[in-house]
Amino acid sequence: MMDEARYLRLVDGVFKTLQDAFDDVDPDVVDAYAAGDVLTLTFRDRSKCVINTQRPTRQVWLAARSRAWHFSLDEPSGKWLDDKGRGDELFATVRAVVRDSAGVDVPL
């Protein structure tokens, strides 16, 4: 398992990338709100997508549309992949959730 300092550097980059992706999105369509280790996306219909760190497991968790994903860093590829082995990648999953929930294609 990676050490906490490296994990924190990596997830800081993940959260910055995610937050930057919503800079040009109308907040009435998708409101991106960060507080601590949690990024909450609230869609026009008031549904939410919550992305948060899980320090003890060194993962990034995502919950949306009555579903949850746990992403772990795949060292060889440098991608955050779902730990269920389905090949879901964090940024692609966020893009799909946002597209399905708000009709917006964010640059991730």
Side-chain angles (χ1 to χ4, degrees):
M1 180 181 292
M2 79 178 81
D3 66 67
E4 185 166 359
R6 180 166 183 252
Y7 169 75
L8 292 175
R9 277 192 313 276
L10 291 170
V11 296
D12 280 348
V14 166
F15 274 65
K16 178 162 181 22
T17 298
L18 289 168
Q19 289 175 294
D20 289 351
F22 292 93
D23 282 349
D24 295 327
V25 176
D26 182 343
D28 290 334
V29 176
V30 182
D31 181 38
Y33 177 75
D37 288 352
V38 179
L39 176 64
T40 303
L41 307 176
T42 304
F43 304 109
R44 185 179 311 200
D45 66 1
R46 310 312 295 159
S47 63
K48 296 184 186 295
C49 172
V50 178
I51 305 157
N52 64 290
T53 64
Q54 286 297 313
R55 292 176 190 220
T57 60
R58 307 291 195 259
Q59 292 181 318
V60 176
W61 288 8
L62 184 152
R65 302 184 317 227
S66 301
R67 187 163 174 211
W69 294 260
H70 300 168
F71 296 94
S72 298
L73 181 66
D74 177 65
E75 295 282 352
S77 69
K79 295 179 180 180
W80 291 86
L81 301 177
D82 181 51
D83 68 357
K84 300 283 190 251
R86 293 184 297 245
D88 296 340
E89 190 271 333
L90 173 63
F91 294 123
T93 302
V94 172
R95 283 185 74 202
V97 167
V98 171
R99 188 174 40 252
D100 292 348
S101 299
V104 175
D105 192 20
V106 290
L108 289 169

